[in-house]
Amino acid sequence: MPRTGRDGRYHHGDLRAALIDTAVEIIGERGVRGFSLAEASRRLGVASSAPYAHFADRDEFLAAVAVHAYELFNKQFLPEINEFPEPADRLAALVRSYVRFAGAHRPLFEVIFVAGLDKTRHPEVKAAEKPFEDAYTDIVRTLSTDGPESGHPTGEARTPAPESGHLTGEAADLAAAIEAAAYGHAMLLLEGDYGRGGEAVELAADRAARATLALVESRHLLRRRAP
Amino acid sequence: MPRTGRDGRYHHGDLRAALIDTAVEIIGERGVRGFSLAEASRRLGVASSAPYAHFADRDEFLAAVAVHAYELFNKQFLPEINEFPEPADRLAALVRSYVRFAGAHRPLFEVIFVAGLDKTRHPEVKAAEKPFEDAYTDIVRTLSTDGPESGHPTGEARTPAPESGHLTGEAADLAAAIEAAAYGHAMLLLEGDYGRGGEAVELAADRAARATLALVESRHLLRRRAP
DNA sequence: GTCTATATCCCGATAGAC
DNA sequence: GTCTATCGGGATATAGAC
């Protein structure tokens, strides 16, 4: 929301936020790799050097966009899974939300997954993605220790799942398969393999959700011998 | 193989081929988006304008690299599937080969799938990928009309599958799921999610192959209602 | 087929004034 | 916080000589 100062020039109360909005626009048109801070400045009518008052360099700016992307996902899409009590359905819903997010906010999805940011250099990004990762690992862990086919008689003592951290064994295999399926569907959607409109998004999301259920159903086939 | 002329300067008998080799090098270091014809020329010791004697522009050059990539895949990896008689195993082998190719020839895989070439503008690329596509659709079609769980009593009359072109119904759903799984595993491999060395490639390829078998096994869950 | 030379354009980033 | 001015670098692409 630019406002005009006494001198007739445009000034932005929040150039930082305006830059992120404009970046989303540009990335939507040209892709992440076609984005430049210079063009964003041009569109906002500010000097090409103005962004450097808020961000050290281009990478740090993209990291800020990535954080924005995760916050949006966590707020708007993650809650969708709470409609489902069963772990398998929750997982399918999570995958569906993931693909929907890719379709509805393609530029943000691109920044997160296609830009190739070095996350180790941007801890803010890692922190922002944590809610999503936690939701995911929680469900997968539940599924592989408590699934309908795991064969635990009622009341049997179970080793408690670790509270956080990496998955192991069957859970890791299932998680990897579903992660790849979700990512693959999202990428094919963005490449136009499913068409262009909103139906394409739902088609891709639906297929991804079904693939998730199929993988859960046949998860015994995913198991690998210990290396 | 550069040779030296009488004047002491380097000349290339086949600059075209040399450029493609060098492009593979550069893309391996910087990714497709970090590639430029200018740098390739520099490394070969030729003028930055030399490539334009062989290629109209950067995109046409990348299309040539893509054709090279498909030819290599079709020759070196596609034949691997012939070791397996059963359709499901053939499909898993194809997916395994696909991921192995991504790992063994990452730069070429990137050009094909990440560079975002407009294939409609480059018919040579479409022609080069045809053998791969045909092999894929053939197997999927066989699986969804002749699979062990399709429940056709022996001798029942079946509608003959179309000889080429797009898949429909169950076959299309299965094909989409497997395509996404293969692509997803390959991309996660390239992003380093499985680690870096040759073991990472085999891990990803193995997981992709298992996911393929799992999807085939539960393919009834992939079925969508007609739109 | 390759060279030199050049034109044009865009980008990232810095310094210092307002 | 934003501006102007500017440096340095790299890319694409063309024209014309050898």
Side-chain angles (χ1 to χ4, degrees):
Chain A
M1 213 67 83
R3 49 198 165 82
T4 306
R6 277 185 306 225
D7 55 359
R9 295 182 182 286
Y10 281 95
H11 287 267
H12 296 272
D14 195 353
L15 179 62
R16 192 193 145 92
L19 278 170
I20 292 181
D21 288 348
T22 307
V24 172
E25 257 183 48
I26 296 175
I27 294 169
E29 297 166 16
R30 306 209 206 297
V32 203
R33 45 201 244 242
F35 167 80
S36 72
L37 280 173
E39 181 173 6
S41 307
R42 220 178 298 133
R43 291 201 187 186
L44 284 171
V46 303
S48 71
S49 58
Y52 295 91
H54 298 271
F55 306 97
D57 55 29
R58 186 179 187 272
D59 265 24
E60 195 172 291
F61 174 72
L62 287 179
V65 179
V67 169
H68 172 70
Y70 276 115
E71 285 169 353
L72 185 64
F73 179 81
N74 294 337
K75 199 176 72 179
Q76 277 194 7
F77 290 80
L78 204 47
E80 289 183 10
I81 69 174
N82 292 323
E83 301 171 23
F84 304 90
E86 288 297 319
D89 295 331
R90 286 171 72 83
L91 191 55
L94 182 59
V95 169
R96 189 187 297 274
S97 293
Y98 177 90
V99 175
R100 274 184 179 150
F101 179 76
H105 299 281
R106 170 183 182 135
L108 295 179
F109 186 87
E110 267 191 56
V111 171
I112 294 180
F113 294 105
V114 189
L117 290 178
D118 187 356
K119 285 181 191 168
T120 63
R121 299 197 53 177
H122 301 281
E124 337 101 66
V125 180
K126 270 205 121 179
E129 77 180 338
K130 194 164 186 305
F132 169 56
E133 279 206 346
D134 285 352
Y136 181 58
T137 52
D138 280 355
I139 303 175
V140 172
R141 189 182 297 120
T142 302
L143 258 174
S144 48
T145 60
D146 193 30
E149 291 174 26
S150 65
H152 287 293
T154 308
E156 178 184 337
R158 283 200 298 267
T159 308
E163 289 177 18
S164 74
H166 297 157
L167 300 170
T168 56
E170 187 183 307
D173 293 323
L174 179 59
I178 287 172
E179 198 179 330
Y183 190 56
H185 278 89
M187 290 298 290
L188 291 178
L189 169 65
L190 296 192
E191 274 178 25
D193 280 38
Y194 294 97
R196 292 285 158 173
E199 336 79 56
V201 178
E202 284 309 304
L203 173 58
D206 194 49
R207 282 195 158 140
R210 287 173 195 273
T212 300
L213 294 176
L215 288 168
V216 170
E217 173 97 353
S218 295
R219 61 187 180 280
H220 59 281
L221 292 176
L222 302 174
R223 190 99 201 230
R224 306 182 77 244
R225 304 186 270 290
Chain B
M1 213 67 84
R3 50 196 163 83
T4 308
R6 275 182 308 222
D7 55 1
R9 296 180 181 285
Y10 281 94
H11 287 266
H12 295 272
D14 193 353
L15 178 62
R16 193 191 143 92
L19 277 170
I20 292 181
D21 288 348
T22 307
V24 171
E25 256 183 48
I26 296 175
I27 295 168
E29 297 167 16
R30 307 209 205 296
V32 206
R33 47 198 243 242
F35 167 79
S36 73
L37 281 173
E39 182 174 4
S41 306
R42 221 177 298 132
R43 291 201 187 185
L44 284 170
V46 302
S48 70
S49 57
Y52 294 90
H54 298 271
F55 306 97
D57 55 29
R58 185 180 188 271
D59 264 24
E60 196 172 290
F61 173 72
L62 286 179
V65 179
V67 169
H68 172 71
Y70 276 114
E71 286 169 352
L72 184 64
F73 179 81
N74 294 337
K75 199 176 73 176
Q76 276 195 9
F77 291 79
L78 204 46
E80 288 183 8
I81 68 174
N82 291 323
E83 300 171 23
F84 304 89
E86 288 298 321
D89 296 332
R90 285 171 73 82
L91 191 55
L94 182 58
V95 169
R96 188 188 297 273
S97 293
Y98 177 90
V99 176
R100 276 184 178 151
F101 179 76
H105 299 281
R106 169 184 183 135
L108 295 179
F109 186 88
E110 269 191 55
V111 170
I112 294 180
F113 293 105
V114 189
L117 291 178
D118 186 358
K119 284 182 190 167
T120 65
R121 299 198 53 178
H122 301 281
E124 338 101 64
V125 179
K126 270 203 123 181
E129 77 180 337
K130 195 163 186 304
F132 170 55
E133 280 206 346
D134 285 353
Y136 181 58
T137 53
D138 281 356
I139 302 176
V140 172
R141 190 182 297 121
T142 302
L143 258 174
S144 48
T145 60
D146 193 29
E149 290 174 25
S150 65
H152 287 293
T154 308
E156 178 186 335
R158 284 200 298 266
T159 308
E163 289 178 17
S164 75
H166 298 157
L167 301 170
T168 56
E170 186 183 307
D173 293 323
L174 179 59
I178 288 173
E179 201 179 330
Y183 190 57
H185 279 89
M187 291 297 290
L188 292 179
L189 169 64
L190 296 193
E191 274 177 25
D193 281 37
Y194 294 97
R196 291 286 157 173
E199 336 78 56
V201 178
E202 285 309 305
L203 172 58
D206 194 48
R207 281 196 158 137
R210 287 173 196 273
T212 300
L213 294 175
L215 288 168
V216 170
E217 174 97 351
S218 296
R219 62 186 180 279
H220 60 281
L221 292 175
L222 302 173
R223 190 100 199 228
R224 307 181 76 244
R225 304 185 271 291

